[in-house]
Amino acid sequence: MATTDIGPKNPAVKAGEAAFDYVDKRTGVKTGAKWFMFRNIPAETSWFQTLGFTAMALFGMQAITGIILAMYYKPDPNSAYQSIEVITNEVTWGWLVRGMHKWGASAMIVVVFLHLGRVFFFGSYKYPRELTWVTGAILLIMTMFMGLTGYLLVWDQKAYWATVVAVNITASAPIVGPYVADILRAGPEFGPETLSRFYSIHMLVIPGGMATFIGLHLFLISKLGIAEPPYSKRRMAVERAEEEARRAAENERLPYGRREVPAVAPATPEPQKVEGAS
Amino acid sequence: MAESQGDETAGGTRGGQYSGPTAHVPEPVHDHHDDPAFITRTRFLTGVALVTGGVMTAAILVPVVGFAAADALKDEEWRWVDVGPLSDFPDGETSSIAVSGPAPESDRRAFLRHRDGAMIAIWNRCAHLGCPVSYSPGGDVYACPCHGGAYDSLGRVTSGPPPRPMDRFDVKIVTPDGQDVARQTSPAEGVSTAGASPEDRVLLGRPFSIDEEQNPFKLHGPGELVTGPLSNLYPF
Ligand code: HEM
Ligand code: FES
């Protein structure tokens, strides 16, 4: 390859490579990482295709800031609101971490919808990417559920009543609604149990589910590759060629200038035109 | 070897043309493992692994799900609660009193409305989606802060999204030593206070839902209908 490859290698580089090879031979990480990171993508891939990664980066930020917030937050009706005040006003950079988590939550909803919109308008959900879409839809539901469960944790009047209303909307779903709502609020009415239940769902249940589904989503993306955008030059050329072929075929079937049926019967007999039939 | 024998055999019968002597046709070997119903060791162990795994998973999940959900599905227990002497609720007034809820934030209240010798107790939970409704004595009406639900003096919807009137609590009046003085027979009439003395106690009981004609129904959650075809969506 390049001239820099000539001559003995730096021993430090050599040792590094040896260590890397040691791990790779035993785990295949290099192969896996290559499979995941160095894929061919369509020529027209643009900023639009970065929205999914943005959503994922925001999920990562939410996870990190959330874990740190959990070090100060107290999921108990008597101290929840006060512990939030302490985080905001007293803990060093508490306002910043809480702000990142709060704004990050809104940003994530926005970005997930933008990503959904781009996938929809590019038609990227079509075969063979239907299941990527389905895992994405489950991620969307979980993202919104994170928003709902996180909103209650502030435990002020707005959080409380907004969540009462949201859970009662759930309860008004036919037949199963009331049960789901009872399970969500840990009983017929909002109470202390509701807060710790929401905290557990927000902290542990859904993040676990989301991590799993992001993994599945990414696996499918790397297996299937990024979809060609509808304005792709290659794809448009293919479509134009198909269209031309279709037109040519149509032309041949025009009554004018139709070719004679060959005298020798073809291998597979074609349906013959019956005289007098309409 | 087996193949060439098979060919010869086939040659002997194909098209009925060749009828000479044929090679010896060996008896087909009967192997249990080819029998689809035969349980091989592998199949047996696969089954054992699946059943064991299933039992172990169930042994973890059933208690966990039951623990998370079962208690939450229990109905709330209601008993008679003494809210004060009748003299606290003079005729012609509507008083708002706190009824203990599970959390101080829950702000569960009852509006005790005493008019013309009868008393009813309206739960302040909005029949739309459960926000706390407030009473304005000026117009003798109720208003919800969340989505503009408005109710008349008896808790019947006058405007906004609520699908049914506000719920009621059962009310009764007893003497200070616990003898019943008056009970509520129909929600529209309420409990009569005519024969009661001012020191008699007012007790609130189990809540129930009503329709626009003030017929009683089992307590429903906010947003659920009690009459009409859509009420069948909430059978339990
Ligand atoms: C937490 C939320 C989500 C995360 C972290 C996420 C992540 C990603 C990433 C990193 C990609 C790679 C390509 C790109 O960035 O456009 C992608 C592609 C894709 N996503 Fe999502 N996604 C999320 C939600 C959704 C939702 C809500 C849907 C739709 C219902 C969806 C459907 C898809 C589909 C069909 C693709 C394949 C697009 C293609 O091949 O061009 N995703 N996602
Ligand atoms: S909760 Fe009262 S109007 Fe919606």
Side-chain angles (χ1 to χ4, degrees):
Chain A
M1 285 202 266
T3 40
T4 45
D5 283 355
I6 299 169
K9 262 192 183 154
N10 180 337
V13 172
K14 257 180 162 169
E17 277 181 1
F20 196 73
D21 281 350
Y22 176 92
V23 177
D24 184 46
K25 282 221 177 75
R26 285 154 184 82
T27 58
V29 273
K30 202 165 141 190
T31 327
K34 267 189 174 167
W35 178 77
F36 179 60
M37 309 264 280
F38 302 102
R39 289 171 277 130
N40 289 335
I41 55 169
E44 287 89 347
T45 304
S46 67
W47 287 102
F48 286 117
Q49 276 83 349
T50 61
L51 286 165
F53 181 84
T54 313
M56 196 169 64
L58 283 167
F59 176 76
M61 181 178 93
Q62 293 302 91
I64 293 168
T65 52
I67 289 167
I68 306 300
L69 283 170
M71 294 177 179
Y72 294 96
Y73 177 75
K74 300 186 184 68
D76 168 76
N78 297 321
S79 36
Y81 181 70
Q82 201 211 337
S83 71
I84 298 241
E85 297 238 285
V86 170
I87 291 171
T88 319
N89 300 326
E90 280 162 40
V91 183
T92 306
W93 292 345
W95 58 271
L96 179 62
V97 176
R98 181 177 170 217
M100 284 161 80
H101 199 73
K102 192 145 187 126
W103 286 94
S106 302
M108 187 166 169
I109 304 268
V110 170
V111 168
V112 166
F113 271 104
L114 289 176
H115 170 58
L116 182 151
R118 115 63 197 149
V119 169
F120 180 75
F121 286 113
F122 280 39
S124 306
Y125 53 83
K126 292 176 190 170
Y127 175 84
R129 294 182 181 78
E130 295 95 328
L131 291 180
T132 318
W133 175 272
V134 169
T135 51
I138 292 169
L139 280 169
L140 171 70
I141 293 168
M142 290 199 285
T143 308
M144 297 205 289
F145 215 71
M146 283 301 268
L148 173 81
T149 49
Y151 198 75
L152 179 71
L153 301 182
V154 184
W155 205 248
D156 58 4
Q157 285 291 316
K158 191 170 69 162
Y160 185 90
W161 289 108
T163 316
V164 166
V165 166
V167 172
N168 280 329
I169 292 174
T170 312
S172 60
I175 302 167
V176 291
Y179 296 106
V180 176
D182 277 356
I183 292 171
L184 274 180
R185 50 168 123 75
E189 286 277 328
F190 263 62
E193 311 275 86
T194 320
L195 181 58
S196 44
R197 177 162 295 226
F198 269 50
Y199 186 53
S200 152
I201 296 177
H202 185 79
M203 277 270 287
L204 306 165
V205 180
I206 311 182
M210 285 185 79
T212 312
F213 274 86
I214 289 179
L216 287 172
H217 204 66
L218 288 183
F219 169 75
L220 290 174
I221 290 152
S222 54
K223 184 173 164 59
L224 303 170
I226 293 292
E228 258 180 341
Y231 49 76
S232 144
K233 291 216 173 61
R234 196 197 68 88
R235 180 143 149 191
M236 288 200 309
V238 168
E239 275 168 16
R240 209 176 306 121
E242 275 173 4
E243 175 71 8
E244 265 160 27
R246 195 179 60 76
R247 286 219 199 127
E250 226 167 49
N251 281 344
E252 297 218 336
R253 284 189 189 74
L254 283 177
Y256 247 74
R258 178 196 266 171
R259 271 175 289 154
E260 288 281 298
V261 177
V264 181
T268 44
E270 277 177 12
Q272 301 290 311
K273 197 182 176 199
V274 180
E275 286 295 331
S278 59
Chain B
M1 183 63 188
E3 242 172 45
S4 66
Q5 275 180 356
D7 281 347
E8 277 175 50
T9 321
T13 49
R14 193 194 293 135
Q17 283 164 3
Y18 177 70
S19 56
T22 57
H24 169 69
V25 182
E27 280 288 300
V29 180
H30 188 74
D31 185 349
H32 297 300
H33 297 80
D34 294 338
D35 184 348
F38 184 75
I39 310 281
T40 60
R41 187 195 306 262
T42 308
R43 288 184 62 189
F44 175 74
L45 290 177
T46 309
V48 169
L50 283 177
V51 170
T52 321
V55 168
M56 280 159 62
T57 313
I60 297 168
L61 283 188
V62 170
V64 165
V65 171
F67 173 69
D71 278 1
L73 295 173
K74 282 186 192 151
D75 279 338
E76 191 170 355
E77 278 175 26
W78 296 92
R79 57 197 114 65
W80 289 104
V81 182
D82 190 332
V83 294
L86 184 57
S87 53
D88 281 4
F89 311 102
D91 200 333
E93 262 186 36
T94 300
S95 346
S96 159
I97 50 156
V99 186
S100 77
E105 294 82 359
S106 71
D107 198 20
R108 186 192 283 170
R109 302 189 144 259
F111 298 112
L112 277 165
R113 178 187 172 79
H114 193 177
R115 284 285 185 306
D116 309 323
M119 191 184 262
I120 58 170
I122 300 177
W123 187 352
N124 76 332
R125 185 177 72 166
C126 182
H128 178 223
L129 291 169
C131 283
V133 166
S134 66
Y135 175 66
S136 48
D140 196 15
V141 292
Y142 301 89
C144 177
C146 287
H147 318 102
Y151 304 86
D152 70 5
S153 56
L154 295 175
R156 293 171 302 196
V157 184
T158 48
S159 76
R164 61 162 208 265
M166 286 158 80
D167 298 331
R168 301 271 175 92
F169 287 103
D170 202 358
V171 205
K172 74 174 178 181
I173 295 171
V174 302
T175 59
D177 49 340
Q179 300 292 311
D180 272 13
V181 174
R183 298 194 73 133
Q184 183 165 262
T185 44
S186 92
E189 283 160 31
V191 58
S192 163
T193 55
S197 64
E199 353 25 294
D200 284 348
R201 314 290 301 181
V202 178
L203 269 64
L204 292 191
R206 177 178 290 280
F208 56 91
S209 299
I210 55 170
D211 65 5
E212 294 293 329
E213 277 78 50
Q214 302 190 54
N215 298 311
F217 287 87
K218 181 185 148 307
L219 181 68
H220 280 62
E224 297 175 16
L225 294 124
V226 288
T227 50
L230 284 180
S231 65
N232 294 317
L233 293 178
Y234 312 102
F236 310 110

